Amino acid sequence: MNNRIQASLEMLESFKKVLEEEKEKGQGKLGSNIQEMRKRVYGEECFTDGMVVYLPARGHVVFIGDIHGDLEAVNSIIKQSHFIENMERGEKDFFLVFLGDYTDRGQKDIATIHLLMALKIRYTDNVFLLKGNHEEVDVAADYGLLHSCVEAYGESEGRGFFKAYMEAVKHLPVIVVTANGMVGVHGGVPKEKLESLKDLNGDRAQALIYEMTWNDPPTNTPGIIWNQRGDGVFSYGEKSFEDLEYPVSGKETD
């Protein structure tokens, strides 16, 4: 094994460990809804409890959509947001939230992965990576990441890195909610109503998470309809979104 792949695997292992430790630290802190969270002692913290990232009402959040291997876009966002400068002067309430789909279609999958992992490792409490549908093994294998890994590291070691990466991203959370009622997911709201934020870590979690990473928001859809992308995938329109009464939407927002 050459030094390049060894260094990549070591970074990947550190990344996975950070995600695991973050969830362990935040386990049990999540309340049933935003209003309850704002009254809790944990309401002024940021933490990850299972599939949910919770951020306090204070501070500044930059939400970042699909990256798809566009390294230049990530660097541009970091530069324009002055994220590094904020971190280096000790700012604690400035957050980057990436909403999934970090590889495939772009030209710099491996470099993009390395940059995002480095950001999470270096600024653990201020950088959050959510899971998108391209963080699923079948999608990543078909749409480019597997090819990028083999091209970068060779057939055997490239497939090994791909497998290790897909194991690591299983630990990514799926939704971020803030104390002032903002919600971020990769895909869209689930068809079934959430009775509690804790549903996202409970028995219903698998189906809810699947929808939130695959659902689409076309503007011309009046309600919730089946999506041609696959079974259990829905498109939802503006009216469906406005009619939400989920605990994550928050009725008492600032």
Side-chain angles (χ1 to χ4, degrees):
M1 183 178 295
N2 62 45
N3 291 338
R4 183 164 176 250
I5 184 64
Q6 182 65 40
S8 294
L9 289 172
E10 288 176 359
M11 175 179 278
L12 189 53
E13 187 60 32
S14 296
F15 173 66
K16 180 181 176 182
K17 184 177 180 181
V18 163
L19 296 177
E20 291 173 335
E21 290 178 346
E22 186 172 57
K23 285 188 175 181
E24 183 178 355
K25 182 180 178 181
Q27 186 175 9
K29 291 185 176 180
L30 190 66
S32 298
N33 54 56
I34 288 175
Q35 289 73 40
E36 178 185 333
M37 285 303 307
R38 292 178 64 155
K39 298 173 184 176
R40 283 189 167 199
V41 65
Y42 303 123
E44 294 302 313
E45 297 181 12
C46 66
F47 61 82
T48 301
D49 185 353
M51 293 292 105
V52 184
V53 175
Y54 176 84
L55 299 179
R58 66 180 186 276
H60 183 74
V61 183
V62 178
F63 289 93
I64 303 150
D66 301 21
I67 296 301
H68 284 304
D70 189 344
L71 180 66
E72 287 75 15
V74 180
N75 280 319
S76 179
I77 291 165
I78 293 170
K79 181 178 180 179
Q80 291 184 49
S81 67
H82 304 287
F83 177 74
I84 302 299
E85 295 94 321
N86 277 283
M87 293 298 98
E88 294 306 313
R89 66 169 175 255
E91 176 61 59
K92 297 185 182 300
D93 298 320
F94 190 102
F95 307 98
L96 295 183
V97 177
F98 293 85
L99 299 176
D101 283 16
Y102 306 117
T103 63
D104 305 329
R105 301 190 180 125
Q107 300 300 311
K108 297 182 179 180
D109 281 346
I110 305 302
T112 301
I113 288 173
H114 278 81
L115 176 56
L116 294 177
M117 289 194 299
L119 285 170
K120 182 60 181 176
I121 293 168
R122 178 72 175 84
Y123 306 110
T124 301
D125 296 333
N126 299 85
V127 174
F128 295 94
L129 308 177
L130 302 189
K131 184 180 180 182
N133 60 313
H134 280 256
E135 279 65 65
E136 295 184 8
V137 63
D138 292 343
V139 179
D142 290 342
Y143 282 83
L145 177 58
L146 178 57
H147 173 77
S148 296
C149 292
V150 170
E151 188 175 55
Y153 300 118
E155 182 71 25
S156 178
E157 292 179 340
R159 288 183 177 275
F161 180 84
F162 175 81
K163 181 179 179 180
Y165 175 75
M166 298 314 301
E167 284 297 317
V169 296
K170 288 180 180 179
H171 296 275
L172 293 177
V174 173
I175 182 171
V176 58
V177 298
T178 73
N180 54 348
M182 298 182 69
V183 179
V185 296
H186 173 72
V189 295
K191 179 175 179 289
E192 300 295 329
K193 286 187 177 182
L194 296 177
E195 301 299 330
S196 167
L197 287 172
K198 294 182 179 181
D199 288 344
L200 295 166
N201 293 329
D203 295 337
R204 301 172 58 205
Q206 185 174 358
L208 293 168
I209 288 167
Y210 180 75
E211 288 191 37
M212 287 192 293
T213 54
W214 279 94
N215 286 0
D216 281 333
T219 57
N220 61 347
T221 303
I224 297 178
I225 63 172
W226 286 100
N227 188 301
Q228 64 181 1
R229 299 175 77 180
D231 291 340
V233 182
F234 300 89
S235 295
Y236 63 92
E238 184 176 354
K239 183 178 185 302
S240 300
F241 187 80
E242 290 177 346
D243 288 345
L244 288 179
E245 294 182 356
Y246 299 128
V248 293
S249 62
K251 293 299 183 181
E252 300 176 11
T253 59
D254 286 340

